[in-house]
Amino acid sequence: WQYSFNAAYTLRATLLLQIRLNAGYSMKKQELIESRISVNRLKSDLIDLVLVIFSIMAIPSLAGSLFRIPLLGFLPVMMAHIVLVLVLCSITLFRKRLSLNFRSIFLITFYLAVGFLGLWNFGFSGNGVIVLLTAIIFSTVIFNQRVGAIILIILVGYILILSSLVLSGHIQFQMDIEEYAYAGTAWFTFLTSFLFFSIVLIVVLGRFNKFFYNMVENLEEHVATSTRKLTKASQAKSEFLANMSH
């Protein structure tokens, strides 16, 4: 009878320990799901914020581009700039109805389009390099390193092709580079673009840094709490087995 009682008690204690371990595993799995949801929510909020900032800053940026008409004339890139701004404002207005992936891809495509057009029409005298560098950083943050590396390879190929076409004389810039370098409107456009993309990077990277710093702190606290609980459970099991052996 005593042996049956001890065996039943041992089985009960083992089952309780297993239930606690399974409950801890379920909690960890749920926390991982919640963390992933939180990361996606952070990305969605940041993309919406960047879209709004883009739309607000796109107006003076477009104005700065159009101010160069007396100096350069009306270039095709300016018409493309107008179209891009209209599309950007439309996406921003209806952003709540669009998926996270769609908004992310549109934003990176927007960066690339502006950068491609800038390099094609102004070479290194324009703001194309700044925009394309921002596209690489943003794609890496929003997606992953592989996407960032793929975009980098595409951009390197584009720059090599463009440089070969310029050096061979197949493409000629439609303005005097020296005169453009001393134009006040050119410096105003560069300063506006530099401030804009710098602010976007500071906001995005700052928010991500704060989010993951808090996540690491919470994870360390959770690990410490789980370790204490497992230590107590292990001690209780050891004491129970020691009492059973006696």
Side-chain angles (χ1 to χ4, degrees), residues 73-84:
F74 189 80
L75 302 176
V77 67
M78 296 176 181
M79 176 57 69
H81 197 168
I82 294 173
V83 173
L84 286 174

Side-chain angles (χ1 to χ4, degrees), residues 8-159:
Y9 190 80
T10 302
L11 178 61
R12 178 176 179 272
T14 303
L15 289 174
L16 288 176
L17 180 60
Q18 186 64 37
I19 290 173
R20 290 180 179 179
L21 292 176
N22 290 337
Y25 172 77
S26 299
M27 290 179 63
K28 291 179 180 179
K29 185 176 181 179
Q30 182 65 26
E31 289 175 356
L32 288 175
I33 295 174
E34 292 177 355
S35 298
R36 181 173 297 179
I37 294 175
S38 298
V39 172
N40 289 335
R41 186 180 298 115
L42 173 65
K43 291 181 179 180
S44 179
D45 292 341
L46 287 175
I47 290 173
D48 287 344
L49 178 62
V50 173
L51 285 172
V52 172
I53 296 175
F54 255 129
S55 298
I56 294 174
M57 296 295 294
I59 304 302
S61 176
L62 178 60
S65 178
L66 297 180
F67 283 159
R68 292 180 290 183
I69 293 178
L71 177 65
L72 306 174
F74 189 80
L75 302 176
V77 67
M78 296 176 181
M79 176 57 69
H81 197 168
I82 294 173
V83 173
L84 286 174
V85 170
L86 291 176
V87 174
L88 172 64
C89 294
S90 300
I91 294 294
T92 304
L93 288 175
F94 298 100
R95 64 187 182 279
K96 298 300 182 183
R97 301 180 183 180
L98 303 174
S99 65
L100 174 60
N101 286 334
F102 181 87
R103 284 174 290 155
S104 302
I105 294 173
F106 167 78
L107 201 55
I108 294 174
T109 304
F110 182 85
Y111 274 118
L112 294 176
V114 174
F116 282 165
L117 291 172
L119 278 181
W120 185 273
N121 288 273
F122 302 104
F124 294 110
S125 300
N127 304 311
V129 176
I130 297 177
V131 179
L132 294 178
L133 180 60
T134 306
I136 295 173
I137 297 174
F138 200 81
S139 60
T140 303
V141 171
I142 296 299
F143 291 103
N144 50 52
Q145 293 179 343
R146 179 179 298 179
V147 175
I150 292 173
I151 291 180
L152 174 61
I153 294 173
I154 294 173
L155 295 181
V156 170
Y158 174 75
I159 292 174

Side-chain angles (χ1 to χ4, degrees), residues 17 227-243:
L17 180 60
T227 302
R228 287 194 296 268
K229 290 181 179 180
L230 289 175
T231 302
K232 290 181 180 179
S234 179
Q235 291 176 351
K237 182 179 179 180
S238 299
E239 292 175 358
F240 170 76
L241 294 177
N243 292 332

